[in-house]
Amino acid sequence: MRLFLAVFVSGVLPAAALAQPAPELSGKWSGYWVSDANGHTGPLHARFTPQGDDAYRVTYRGRFAKVIPFRYSTTMDVVGRGDGVVLLSAEKPLGPFGTFRTTAVVTGTTFDATFNSRRDSGRFVLRR
């Protein structure tokens, strides 16, 4: 035990203490969305705006069926951080379409999310 304390106090830190800080997510992201339920896909853009230390307001813009534009905003809560990764989660009631749930793993350059609602599920894939 003394050897461990001597090494720790002397400035040699465990690997976990040297992990990368969580990335900043603010700004514009681009990519695509895809439905696992029916195979539909389309372009997707997002803007991340910080809402304090533990949430981001995310506004998505995209197209459905190649010609139908959509815009969707939600607050994504930070549910975890570590080693250069942020974990996000959101839940938003959409009336007759049910509750839309999203979970994401985000790095400084990648946003990989899954979504599900009463009649659909799929992925959002965004890059900087």
Side-chain angles (χ1 to χ4, degrees), residues 4-105:
F4 172 76
L5 287 174
V7 170
F8 185 77
V9 171
S10 70
V12 178
L13 299 176
L18 299 175
Q20 298 175 9
E24 173 55 48
L25 309 181
S26 298
K28 296 179 182 180
W29 296 72
S30 295
Y32 65 93
W33 65 272
V34 62
S35 168
D36 294 335
N38 57 33
H40 289 165
T41 189
L44 184 67
H45 303 278
R47 178 179 295 276
F48 286 68
T49 305
Q51 303 290 294
D53 291 335
D54 295 324
Y56 287 87
R57 184 71 176 168
V58 183
T59 299
Y60 298 100
R61 292 181 302 106
R63 292 204 178 274
F64 176 78
K66 296 185 182 180
V67 295
I68 302 169
F70 67 85
R71 181 181 164 124
Y72 170 76
S73 292
T74 190
T75 298
M76 297 199 77
D77 297 315
V78 175
V79 295
R81 285 189 171 104
D83 203 19
V85 174
V86 176
L87 305 177
L88 300 174
S89 179
E91 189 171 291
K92 185 171 185 177
L94 296 177
F97 299 106
T99 299
F100 193 82
R101 294 177 180 87
T102 310
T103 58
V105 177

